[in-house]
Amino acid sequence: MQASKPGSFVSEINVTPFVDVMLVMLIIFMVATPMMSEGLDVNLPQSKQVEVLPTDADHMMLTVRRDGAIFLDQYRVDDLEQLEGYLKSLVKDKNKTLFLQADKEVPYGIVVDVMGRIKAVGIEKLGVVAESMQTAAAAAKAAPGRK
């Protein structure tokens, strides 16, 4: 290396501050990512026998909330025709399993309409999500102010 002359510019880049900032950002994202995947708030119906959902990434969740809003995973779907397009491109074409979770106060006709559209698209792997009665009883005891 050649010694630099006084008053001349240094042409080397110091990457140490850059690496420090990137490591801090990595830690922040590692901590924040699990908090962002909470899911949607739905009051599920109860059933005696409930199986555990698979943990693999080969499934998607279709949610119908009490107010009639429909979500595919965490993304809102504005109308049912748009839902059919999303189901065909994101679920059927990629051969994923679809799970339907609907709030227990959603009218039965809406749930049947959504299920009919799911079958019309050609999705054969459909599961319905419910809450076990034991889990619901434990949650009711833990939150005494909730009815």
Side-chain angles (χ1 to χ4, degrees), residues 49-131:
Q49 181 65 30
V50 176
E51 295 181 20
V52 178
L53 287 175
T55 56
D56 59 355
D58 286 343
H59 71 276
M60 295 190 82
M61 188 72 64
L62 181 65
T63 305
V64 182
R65 290 194 332 198
R66 178 183 311 170
D67 60 359
I70 299 174
F71 292 83
L72 188 57
D73 280 345
Q74 280 89 22
Y75 303 103
R76 185 181 179 110
V77 179
D78 294 325
D79 60 9
L80 293 175
E81 285 73 28
Q82 186 182 28
L83 173 66
E84 290 181 14
Y86 287 147
L87 289 175
K88 181 163 180 15
S89 63
L90 298 174
V91 180
K92 184 176 187 298
D93 292 348
K94 295 183 180 181
N95 199 23
K96 292 188 176 189
T97 303
L98 182 68
F99 289 99
L100 174 64
Q101 68 177 1
D103 194 285
K104 66 181 180 182
E105 296 182 17
V106 172
Y108 182 67
I110 294 175
V111 176
V112 170
D113 184 28
V114 169
M115 289 178 72
R117 291 175 187 269
I118 291 169
K119 290 295 181 180
V121 170
I123 296 173
E124 297 297 325
K125 299 177 187 176
L126 175 65
V128 179
V129 180
E131 183 177 34

Side-chain angles (χ1 to χ4, degrees), residues 12-38:
E12 297 159 355
I13 297 174
N14 186 2
V15 295
T16 304
F18 175 71
V19 171
D20 290 344
V21 169
M22 294 307 292
L23 288 174
V24 168
M25 289 179 63
L26 176 67
I27 291 170
I28 289 170
F29 285 123
M30 286 173 56
V31 170
T33 300
M35 294 180 208
M36 294 179 355
S37 61
E38 288 181 5

